[in-house]
Amino acid sequence: MIIVLKPEATEREVDHIIDRLRELGLKSQLSTGQERTIIGVIGDDRILQNQPLTALPGVESVLPILAPWKLVSREFKREATIIDVGSVKIGGKKLAIMAGPCAVERLELTVGIAHDVKAAGATILRGGAYKPRTSPYSFQGLGREGLDYLIEAKKQTGLPVVSEILDTRDIELFLEKADIIQIGARNMQNFELLKEVGAYDKPVLLKRGLSATIKEFLLSAEYIMSRGNRNVMLCERGIRTFETQYRNTLDLAAIPTLKELSIQATRQVDGISWLPCRRRQ
Amino acid sequence: MIIVLKPEATEREVDHIIDRLRELGLKSQLSTGQERTIIGVIGDDRILQNQPLTALPGVESVLPILAPWKLVSREFKREATIIDVGSVKIGGKKLAIMAGPCAVERLELTVGIAHDVKAAGATILRGGAYKPRTSPYSFQGLGREGLDYLIEAKKQTGLPVVSEILDTRDIELFLEKADIIQIGARNMQNFELLKEVGAYDKPVLLKRGLSATIKEFLLSAEYIMSRGNRNVMLCERGIRTFETQYRNTLDLAAIPTLKELSIQATRQVDGISWLPCRRRQ
Amino acid sequence: MIIVLKPEATEREVDHIIDRLRELGLKSQLSTGQERTIIGVIGDDRILQNQPLTALPGVESVLPILAPWKLVSREFKREATIIDVGSVKIGGKKLAIMAGPCAVERLELTVGIAHDVKAAGATILRGGAYKPRTSPYSFQGLGREGLDYLIEAKKQTGLPVVSEILDTRDIELFLEKADIIQIGARNMQNFELLKEVGAYDKPVLLKRGLSATIKEFLLSAEYIMSRGNRNVMLCERGIRTFETQYRNTLDLAAIPTLKELSIQATRQVDGISWLPCRRRQ
Amino acid sequence: MIIVLKPEATEREVDHIIDRLRELGLKSQLSTGQERTIIGVIGDDRILQNQPLTALPGVESVLPILAPWKLVSREFKREATIIDVGSVKIGGKKLAIMAGPCAVERLELTVGIAHDVKAAGATILRGGAYKPRTSPYSFQGLGREGLDYLIEAKKQTGLPVVSEILDTRDIELFLEKADIIQIGARNMQNFELLKEVGAYDKPVLLKRGLSATIKEFLLSAEYIMSRGNRNVMLCERGIRTFETQYRNTLDLAAIPTLKELSIQATRQVDGISWLPCRRRQ
């Protein structure tokens, strides 16, 4: 449910409404837009059915949200989100390109690639320090050391760094060392991890699961946002189909669909990172 | 690679072979079967190509493992695994049935269901204390309290308890309170969680991911076993297809295929738990 | 729409209702069940919205059919259909098993297999004379000659024969030589072929398309029945999924679902024919 | 198998080789390229293994074709095919756009749309006269009359016409009235229809089946070409996946893949026709 406030609503009136919701066991998310200030109501809406909220001072109207997702919905926030990552803006008119090696392997190689991808036009450096590999016998990544290589590459190129987190216990490490935390396709429904990255302001790049529907994808973003973190980017990276000629089937139609349904910052197509990974298979 | 030992190989000869492998940077898994003792070699096998292992005392032959999975492979261990959970044997000729509520909700209800499913023939009680829900606004489970309800139900019925873990940080809790730890479909490729439950002897019920291939499923089991835990059960729970008439498409052919390829303890069909969950949608 | 008649409705009253429907541009399908006689109305139902059909003599009630399929629906006919193929009954309590070679190749081999499958319990002989092969360079079947081999096998064993039709132009040939006409998975939505076999009484075995939904499957059966042929059998033969370990994924849940939704005669699981075909790949 | 001829091979030598192949029960397809003349050998290649074909006058080398498709393969013909449809060239550098109504409904409407799509840049008019509809109760198209409406629209606009054939018995009608014959997704493996359109020179637009692999798609094109018709266009129109947010999932990667593997004339993305059809659902 969304409570739309009157343009002239005072801060005191807003606080009063939020207090009232809290008494009813509901959480509020205040959103101050250019046109309107609204309060998103999180929790079991049905409690409100017999509450005369429209009678409270400052309230203009009370609207249901029809989609199962709320905070990521265009109904809740009309403007596209722009996320600041250092000097790079993600979600605006300029396309942000994130590029780099599938796995971080050696320091010089990592720094070299960083220079190369910067020269090629990328504005953010990606590289896997912790690698989720199908087989336990495949290279699992350099871990903490890999993150340090990325930081060194950042020092030399100025490119902010995105890298994938695999375990809730590594959150402090990623808050310190990464500029964007990546949630990989295999963890798109690792809800404890989503809640964990949702508890901070650090930007999150959420990749679509191998067989995740658009609805599930948006609800995973909602997990992050419902914990308070509004800096979420969605990444279409191909889905699993019957076709075996390529590793994933790029679902291009997902991008306009997500743009229409959500206010997420950006919709990266996982092209650049996808190709090198694929070649290694 | 598998090193098959001579029937008359002595313990000292075995130790010598394992030492030799360690010097080469390889790990060993000793498996003493009724017919044969064999050593599974974990690590980059290619090192062994120029090593005259067959010349070592006690070695009968050295065989490659062709499947990408090793420890779960029938090539590595011919006999089916039987797992003891209290007085219940899983993987033998008698079918073990695990039943109970999708989510644990109230104490009396949980105990009541436990009595019911026992009366109906189930030998293990399942119930979700931590629930991985698509939406952050759905009931997320009672958590620790839910596990305590299951333990109370176990006290009154004698049924061992299986429940799903979602977070590596909860491992101590589950080691203490659950008889079998369940890894749900959405976490089948949450590799950190697989490694964590692999570090103990506690039996693990591994559910197939929504769009996991047979190969990926077995490699996730391999993650657990490669950390030392041999008590792994596989659970076919339906896969995601184009059909929308039902929530999942049961892949019945997976069961004989898994039996042929692997030595896993049991292959539960996720029938009983699946139906109540489905009804709630 | 279904018009349910009063138990005491006379033949004259029934004729009058059918005439009335014809004047409105609608077709009727009379169905005389043990409990009730009903008239299925085919065409654009909306015409009837302002017609006082319930006022006609003999009419008890007028019911909408909610499913997109009508004639195959349990709403239209409650009892399961039993189809007589020579002395074999399909759809009753006794399971009818159809078996035989994927492709008919030589006369003696065909007759030999027929004796074998009869000895093994099959009651109907299947064999492909016209083969729909993925590659134009694969054996395309013996055609008319293959059908003659099947007839010779039928003479010697008494087993009725089922074989697949590929072309509307072969309908006369199949009416003469086959006891059941098979529509293969690749032709499940070859609507001209469905209409053609629908114009006769010859029993039809309709196989589910590789990626056909339950709804599409039933609507293909509806194509046949809407032309007048009520002798339709449904065959679940596995669907296409991401899994590559087996050729098709058997969708077992389709069988109870189809039984619940439709009154089709039988739901063969395409097991016996499927295995030999698969081995050839 | 491909027989590559020497640049100086005479016509008599070529005839001799083709005669020799015919004696062995094999068919030949002569292909005179700018660089080379080659003979494609159709039939069971294994016969040739003990035949000293390289010793025949005029033969430079004998090469196996590794792909299961031959005539559509880049191995067989390096240059892209360009198909002439009236004054429109398909497969060259200029993109040919085919547009028009999903179903042809009324004459004036059809002519009006033809003028509109021409004004919008389309060079070929598409429209369905025979409609393959999931339900027998949906509008099945105007048939022959619909084709006449298209011809009238062609007269007034000069746009060549593409329309879908559903039945082998309609081939004469389509040869007379259509400039391009469309084989729809549901008939991509209606092999009798493929053979029928393969027997003429009339250009064919072959749409990818709902769950057809790239391999199956190319082999269906091979069916047409192996009968002699080299004027085949491939159309990616979206595949069936688990996603329900849109009717089909556009498989964009199919286009470069098909371009790499085959010499087909064009690879239309079924965009324009797909959108209006979708809106009607």
Side-chain angles (χ1 to χ4, degrees):
Chain A
M1 197 163 276
I2 292 170
I3 300 172
V4 183
L5 301 183
K6 289 181 181 158
E8 69 274 15
T10 65
E11 217 169 294
R12 232 189 112 183
E13 286 169 347
V14 175
D15 287 348
H16 176 64
I17 299 166
I18 292 174
D19 285 349
R20 190 75 198 88
L21 292 168
R22 196 182 304 119
E23 287 165 27
L24 292 163
L26 300 165
K27 277 199 221 165
S28 316
Q29 293 262 6
L30 191 67
S31 174
T32 312
Q34 279 184 306
E35 298 170 32
R36 275 274 187 263
T37 295
I38 61 176
I39 299 172
V41 182
I42 313 296
D44 190 344
D45 283 8
R46 289 167 296 184
I47 293 164
L48 295 176
Q49 277 164 359
N50 301 316
Q51 298 293 329
L53 282 181
T54 44
L56 289 179
V59 172
E60 183 173 289
S61 58
V62 178
L63 302 169
I65 298 185
L66 298 177
W69 48 87
K70 291 164 194 267
L71 300 172
V72 307
S73 167
R74 285 267 175 203
E75 294 182 77
F76 182 64
K77 177 163 175 280
R78 295 227 166 269
E79 308 94 52
T81 303
I82 293 177
I83 297 174
D84 290 307
V85 180
S87 60
V88 184
K89 285 190 187 308
I90 297 171
K93 292 205 170 158
K94 205 174 156 206
L95 190 67
I97 296 181
M98 308 183 188
C102 176
V104 172
E105 286 177 46
R106 282 179 301 113
L107 178 58
E108 320 83 79
L109 187 62
T110 307
V111 172
I113 292 174
H115 281 294
D116 287 352
V117 300
K118 187 180 181 183
T123 45
I124 290 173
L125 176 64
R126 66 144 265 166
Y130 294 86
K131 296 298 306 171
R133 309 304 288 267
T134 304
S135 166
Y137 307 121
S138 301
F139 174 53
Q140 306 277 313
L142 293 177
R144 179 185 290 264
E145 199 182 345
L147 289 176
D148 287 334
Y149 292 178
L150 289 171
I151 287 177
E152 181 58 33
K154 177 185 173 182
K155 262 190 210 148
Q156 297 196 24
T157 59
L159 295 177
V161 157
V162 55
S163 197
E164 182 173 355
I165 192 170
L166 298 182
D167 193 335
T168 50
R169 293 173 300 194
D170 292 332
I171 186 70
E172 296 294 342
L173 188 66
F174 277 81
L175 289 174
E176 182 198 334
K177 293 183 189 285
D179 297 295
I180 303 174
I181 300 178
Q182 179 179 318
I183 302 280
R186 283 158 193 78
N187 280 315
M188 193 204 81
Q189 290 194 318
N190 179 344
F191 301 116
E192 298 309 307
L193 195 55
L194 298 179
K195 288 175 188 170
E196 196 66 39
V197 300
Y200 303 90
D201 277 339
K202 180 74 77 177
V204 176
L205 177 69
L206 179 65
K207 293 178 81 170
R208 185 178 181 185
L210 281 76
S211 65
T213 62
I214 295 288
K215 182 182 164 182
E216 290 167 344
F217 193 14
L218 287 174
L219 282 169
S220 284
E222 186 80 15
Y223 258 97
I224 300 170
M225 293 189 82
S226 68
R227 294 284 158 145
N229 190 345
R230 307 248 175 132
N231 299 313
V232 181
M233 304 162 227
L234 302 179
C235 175
E236 157 63 30
R237 45 77 74 195
I239 56 173
R240 182 158 279 183
T241 69
F242 60 83
E243 182 59 70
T244 56
Q245 197 79 30
Y246 7 91
R247 195 161 80 124
N248 300 308
T249 301
L250 174 70
D251 178 11
L252 197 66
I255 295 177
T257 306
L258 288 169
K259 261 190 196 284
E260 195 183 318
L261 295 174
S262 85
I263 46 86
Q264 296 313 312
T266 192
R267 287 124 213 116
Q268 298 294 124
V269 178
D270 189 17
I272 291 166
S273 66
W274 176 54
L275 290 172
C277 283
R278 187 186 170 200
R279 236 178 274 135
R280 289 191 192 204
Q281 284 229 318
Chain B
M1 197 163 279
I2 293 169
I3 300 172
V4 183
L5 302 182
K6 288 182 182 156
E8 68 274 16
T10 65
E11 215 168 296
R12 235 189 110 185
E13 287 170 346
V14 174
D15 288 347
H16 177 64
I17 297 166
I18 291 174
D19 285 347
R20 191 76 198 85
L21 291 169
R22 195 181 305 118
E23 288 166 26
L24 292 164
L26 299 165
K27 276 200 221 165
S28 316
Q29 292 262 5
L30 192 67
S31 173
T32 312
Q34 277 184 308
E35 297 169 32
R36 274 273 187 263
T37 294
I38 62 176
I39 299 172
V41 182
I42 312 296
D44 190 346
D45 283 9
R46 288 166 298 181
I47 293 165
L48 294 176
Q49 277 165 0
N50 301 317
Q51 298 293 328
L53 282 181
T54 44
L56 290 178
V59 172
E60 185 174 287
S61 58
V62 177
L63 301 169
I65 298 186
L66 298 177
W69 48 88
K70 292 164 192 265
L71 300 171
V72 307
S73 166
R74 286 267 174 204
E75 292 180 78
F76 183 64
K77 178 162 174 282
R78 294 226 166 272
E79 308 94 52
T81 303
I82 293 177
I83 297 174
D84 290 307
V85 180
S87 60
V88 183
K89 284 187 188 310
I90 297 170
K93 294 207 171 157
K94 208 179 154 200
L95 190 66
I97 295 180
M98 307 182 188
C102 176
V104 172
E105 287 177 45
R106 283 180 300 111
L107 178 58
E108 321 83 77
L109 188 62
T110 308
V111 172
I113 292 173
H115 281 294
D116 287 352
V117 300
K118 187 181 183 181
T123 46
I124 290 173
L125 176 64
R126 68 144 263 167
Y130 294 86
K131 296 298 305 170
R133 309 304 287 269
T134 303
S135 167
Y137 307 122
S138 301
F139 175 52
Q140 306 276 315
L142 294 177
R144 180 186 291 263
E145 198 182 347
L147 289 174
D148 287 335
Y149 292 177
L150 290 170
I151 287 177
E152 181 59 33
K154 177 184 172 182
K155 261 189 210 148
Q156 296 196 25
T157 59
L159 295 177
V161 157
V162 56
S163 197
E164 182 173 354
I165 192 171
L166 298 183
D167 193 335
T168 51
R169 294 174 298 195
D170 292 331
I171 185 71
E172 297 294 342
L173 187 68
F174 276 82
L175 290 173
E176 181 198 336
K177 294 183 188 284
D179 298 294
I180 303 174
I181 299 178
Q182 179 179 316
I183 303 278
R186 281 157 195 79
N187 280 314
M188 194 204 81
Q189 290 194 319
N190 179 344
F191 300 116
E192 298 310 306
L193 195 55
L194 299 178
K195 289 174 186 172
E196 195 66 40
V197 301
Y200 304 90
D201 278 339
K202 180 73 75 177
V204 176
L205 177 69
L206 178 65
K207 293 178 82 169
R208 184 179 183 185
L210 279 76
S211 64
T213 61
I214 295 288
K215 182 181 163 183
E216 290 168 343
F217 193 15
L218 287 173
L219 282 169
S220 284
E222 187 79 16
Y223 257 97
I224 301 170
M225 294 189 80
S226 68
R227 295 284 157 144
N229 189 347
R230 308 247 177 135
N231 298 314
V232 181
M233 306 162 225
L234 301 178
C235 176
E236 158 62 30
R237 45 76 75 197
I239 56 173
R240 182 160 279 182
T241 69
F242 61 83
E243 182 60 68
T244 56
Q245 197 79 31
Y246 8 92
R247 194 161 80 123
N248 301 307
T249 301
L250 174 70
D251 178 11
L252 197 65
I255 296 177
T257 305
L258 288 168
K259 262 188 195 285
E260 197 183 316
L261 296 174
S262 86
I263 46 86
Q264 295 314 312
T266 190
R267 287 125 212 117
Q268 298 294 124
V269 178
D270 190 17
I272 291 167
S273 65
W274 177 52
L275 290 172
C277 282
R278 186 184 170 202
R279 236 178 276 137
R280 285 189 195 210
Q281 285 228 318
Chain C
M1 197 164 278
I2 294 169
I3 299 172
V4 183
L5 302 181
K6 288 182 182 157
E8 69 273 16
T10 65
E11 217 169 295
R12 232 188 114 184
E13 286 169 346
V14 174
D15 288 347
H16 176 65
I17 298 166
I18 291 175
D19 286 347
R20 192 74 197 85
L21 291 168
R22 195 183 304 117
E23 288 164 25
L24 292 163
L26 300 166
K27 277 199 221 165
S28 315
Q29 293 263 5
L30 191 67
S31 174
T32 313
Q34 278 184 307
E35 296 169 31
R36 275 273 188 264
T37 294
I38 62 176
I39 299 172
V41 182
I42 312 296
D44 189 344
D45 283 8
R46 288 167 297 182
I47 293 165
L48 295 176
Q49 277 165 2
N50 301 317
Q51 299 294 328
L53 283 180
T54 44
L56 290 178
V59 172
E60 185 174 288
S61 59
V62 177
L63 301 170
I65 298 186
L66 298 177
W69 48 87
K70 293 164 191 268
L71 301 171
V72 306
S73 166
R74 285 269 175 202
E75 293 180 79
F76 182 64
K77 178 162 174 283
R78 294 225 166 273
E79 307 94 53
T81 304
I82 292 176
I83 297 175
D84 289 307
V85 180
S87 61
V88 183
K89 284 189 188 310
I90 296 169
K93 292 208 171 156
K94 208 177 154 202
L95 190 67
I97 295 180
M98 308 182 186
C102 176
V104 172
E105 287 176 45
R106 285 180 298 112
L107 178 59
E108 322 82 79
L109 188 62
T110 307
V111 173
I113 292 174
H115 281 294
D116 287 352
V117 300
K118 187 181 184 183
T123 46
I124 290 172
L125 176 65
R126 65 144 265 166
Y130 294 85
K131 296 298 304 171
R133 308 304 287 266
T134 303
S135 167
Y137 307 122
S138 301
F139 174 53
Q140 306 276 314
L142 294 176
R144 179 185 290 265
E145 199 182 347
L147 288 175
D148 287 335
Y149 291 178
L150 288 170
I151 287 176
E152 181 59 33
K154 176 185 173 182
K155 261 190 209 147
Q156 296 195 26
T157 59
L159 294 177
V161 156
V162 56
S163 198
E164 182 173 355
I165 191 170
L166 298 183
D167 194 335
T168 50
R169 294 172 299 194
D170 292 331
I171 186 71
E172 296 294 341
L173 187 67
F174 276 81
L175 290 173
E176 180 198 337
K177 293 185 189 281
D179 299 293
I180 302 175
I181 299 178
Q182 179 179 316
I183 303 279
R186 282 157 195 78
N187 280 315
M188 194 203 82
Q189 290 194 318
N190 178 343
F191 300 117
E192 299 309 308
L193 195 55
L194 298 179
K195 288 174 187 171
E196 195 67 40
V197 300
Y200 304 89
D201 276 338
K202 180 73 76 176
V204 176
L205 177 69
L206 178 65
K207 291 178 82 170
R208 184 179 181 185
L210 280 76
S211 64
T213 62
I214 294 288
K215 182 181 163 182
E216 290 168 343
F217 193 14
L218 288 173
L219 282 169
S220 284
E222 186 80 16
Y223 257 97
I224 301 170
M225 293 189 81
S226 68
R227 294 285 157 144
N229 189 345
R230 308 246 177 135
N231 298 314
V232 181
M233 305 163 225
L234 302 179
C235 175
E236 158 62 31
R237 45 76 74 197
I239 56 173
R240 181 158 280 182
T241 68
F242 60 84
E243 182 59 69
T244 56
Q245 197 78 30
Y246 9 90
R247 194 160 81 122
N248 300 308
T249 301
L250 174 70
D251 178 11
L252 197 65
I255 297 176
T257 305
L258 289 168
K259 261 189 196 285
E260 197 183 316
L261 295 174
S262 86
I263 46 84
Q264 297 313 311
T266 190
R267 288 126 213 115
Q268 298 294 123
V269 178
D270 189 17
I272 290 166
S273 65
W274 177 54
L275 290 172
C277 284
R278 186 187 170 199
R279 237 178 275 137
R280 287 189 194 208
Q281 283 230 318
Chain D
M1 197 163 277
I2 293 169
I3 300 173
V4 183
L5 301 182
K6 288 182 183 156
E8 69 272 16
T10 65
E11 218 169 294
R12 233 189 113 186
E13 286 170 347
V14 174
D15 288 348
H16 177 65
I17 298 166
I18 290 174
D19 285 348
R20 190 74 197 87
L21 290 168
R22 195 183 305 116
E23 288 165 28
L24 292 163
L26 299 166
K27 277 199 220 165
S28 315
Q29 293 263 4
L30 191 68
S31 173
T32 312
Q34 278 183 306
E35 298 168 32
R36 276 273 187 263
T37 296
I38 61 176
I39 299 172
V41 182
I42 312 296
D44 189 345
D45 283 7
R46 289 166 297 183
I47 293 164
L48 295 176
Q49 277 164 359
N50 301 317
Q51 299 293 329
L53 283 181
T54 44
L56 289 179
V59 171
E60 183 174 289
S61 59
V62 178
L63 301 170
I65 298 186
L66 297 178
W69 47 88
K70 292 164 193 269
L71 300 172
V72 306
S73 167
R74 286 266 173 202
E75 293 181 79
F76 182 64
K77 176 162 175 283
R78 294 224 168 271
E79 308 94 53
T81 303
I82 292 176
I83 298 175
D84 290 308
V85 180
S87 61
V88 183
K89 283 189 188 308
I90 296 169
K93 292 206 172 157
K94 207 177 155 205
L95 190 67
I97 295 180
M98 308 184 187
C102 176
V104 172
E105 287 176 45
R106 283 179 301 114
L107 178 59
E108 320 84 76
L109 188 61
T110 307
V111 173
I113 292 174
H115 281 294
D116 287 351
V117 299
K118 187 180 182 184
T123 46
I124 290 174
L125 176 65
R126 65 144 267 167
Y130 295 84
K131 296 298 305 171
R133 309 303 289 266
T134 304
S135 165
Y137 308 122
S138 301
F139 175 53
Q140 306 276 315
L142 294 176
R144 178 185 290 265
E145 199 182 345
L147 289 175
D148 287 334
Y149 292 177
L150 290 170
I151 287 176
E152 180 58 33
K154 177 185 173 182
K155 262 190 211 149
Q156 296 195 24
T157 59
L159 296 178
V161 157
V162 55
S163 198
E164 181 173 355
I165 192 170
L166 297 183
D167 193 336
T168 50
R169 294 173 299 194
D170 293 331
I171 186 70
E172 296 295 344
L173 187 67
F174 276 81
L175 290 173
E176 181 198 336
K177 294 183 190 282
D179 297 292
I180 303 174
I181 300 179
Q182 178 179 317
I183 302 280
R186 281 158 195 78
N187 280 315
M188 194 204 81
Q189 291 195 317
N190 179 345
F191 301 116
E192 299 309 308
L193 195 55
L194 299 178
K195 288 175 188 171
E196 196 66 40
V197 299
Y200 304 90
D201 277 338
K202 179 74 76 179
V204 176
L205 176 70
L206 178 65
K207 293 177 82 170
R208 183 178 183 185
L210 281 75
S211 65
T213 62
I214 295 287
K215 182 181 163 182
E216 289 168 344
F217 192 16
L218 287 173
L219 282 169
S220 284
E222 187 79 17
Y223 258 97
I224 299 170
M225 293 189 81
S226 68
R227 295 283 158 146
N229 189 345
R230 306 247 177 135
N231 298 314
V232 181
M233 304 161 226
L234 302 178
C235 175
E236 158 63 30
R237 45 77 73 196
I239 56 173
R240 182 158 280 182
T241 69
F242 61 83
E243 182 59 69
T244 56
Q245 197 78 30
Y246 8 90
R247 195 160 81 122
N248 300 308
T249 301
L250 174 70
D251 179 11
L252 196 66
I255 295 176
T257 305
L258 289 168
K259 261 189 196 284
E260 195 183 318
L261 295 174
S262 85
I263 46 86
Q264 295 316 310
T266 192
R267 289 125 212 114
Q268 298 292 125
V269 179
D270 190 16
I272 291 166
S273 66
W274 176 53
L275 289 173
C277 282
R278 186 186 172 200
R279 234 178 277 135
R280 286 189 195 210
Q281 283 228 318

